[in-house]
């Protein structure tokens, strides 16, 4: 799986969180597993798209948020990861309300 960011960006995110190479790999594996679950439950309109196509269409901000959440868990901060995840959900809901 290739996130929609370059290797330098990914490396800087890892350094920012203080992740080892193994923790970075685990965070990326967690992200891929999460995305694959979403892919299996994708709406009918996206049935003709491959997993790689949908991941490549992902916004870089979405990838950053997913990496932050998974990276915080890998770094030993599950409470912080949960707080970021909840804030992300509420921000998405607010955004959806504003566009409705």
């Amino acid at each position: 799986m290739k996130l929609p960011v370059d290797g330098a960006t990914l490396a800087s995110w890892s350094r920012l969180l203080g992740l080892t190479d193994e923790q970075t790999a685990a965070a990326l594996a967690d992200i891929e597993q999460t995305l694959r679950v979403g892919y299996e439950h994708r709406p009918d309109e996206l049935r003709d798209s491959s997993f790689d196509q949908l991941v490549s269409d992902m916004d870089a901000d979405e990838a950053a948020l997913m990496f932050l959440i998974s990276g915080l868990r890998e770094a030993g901060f599950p409470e912080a990861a949960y707080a970021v995840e909840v804030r992300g959900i509420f921000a998405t809901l607010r955004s959806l309300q504003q566009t409705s």
Side-chain angles (χ1 to χ4, degrees), residues 27-43:
L28 292 172
D30 179 56
I31 292 168
E32 182 171 0
Q33 178 186 16
T34 300
L35 291 174
R36 287 197 181 276
V37 169
Y39 178 75
E40 292 300 319
H41 297 92
R42 67 194 180 283

Side-chain angles (χ1 to χ4, degrees), residues 6-65:
D6 61 29
T9 300
L10 192 58
S12 58
W13 291 348
S14 294
R15 276 194 307 276
L16 180 65
L17 293 172
L19 299 178
T20 65
D21 290 343
E22 293 81 17
Q23 289 172 316
T24 299
L28 292 172
D30 179 56
I31 292 168
E32 182 171 0
Q33 178 186 16
T34 300
L35 291 174
R36 287 197 181 276
V37 169
Y39 178 75
E40 292 300 319
H41 297 92
R42 67 194 180 283
D44 289 337
E45 301 84 42
L46 300 175
R47 288 287 167 193
D48 293 334
S49 300
S50 72
F51 177 77
D52 290 332
Q53 286 172 318
L54 293 177
V55 171
S56 69
D57 287 344
M58 177 191 289
D59 185 80
D61 291 341
E62 294 170 316
L65 183 60

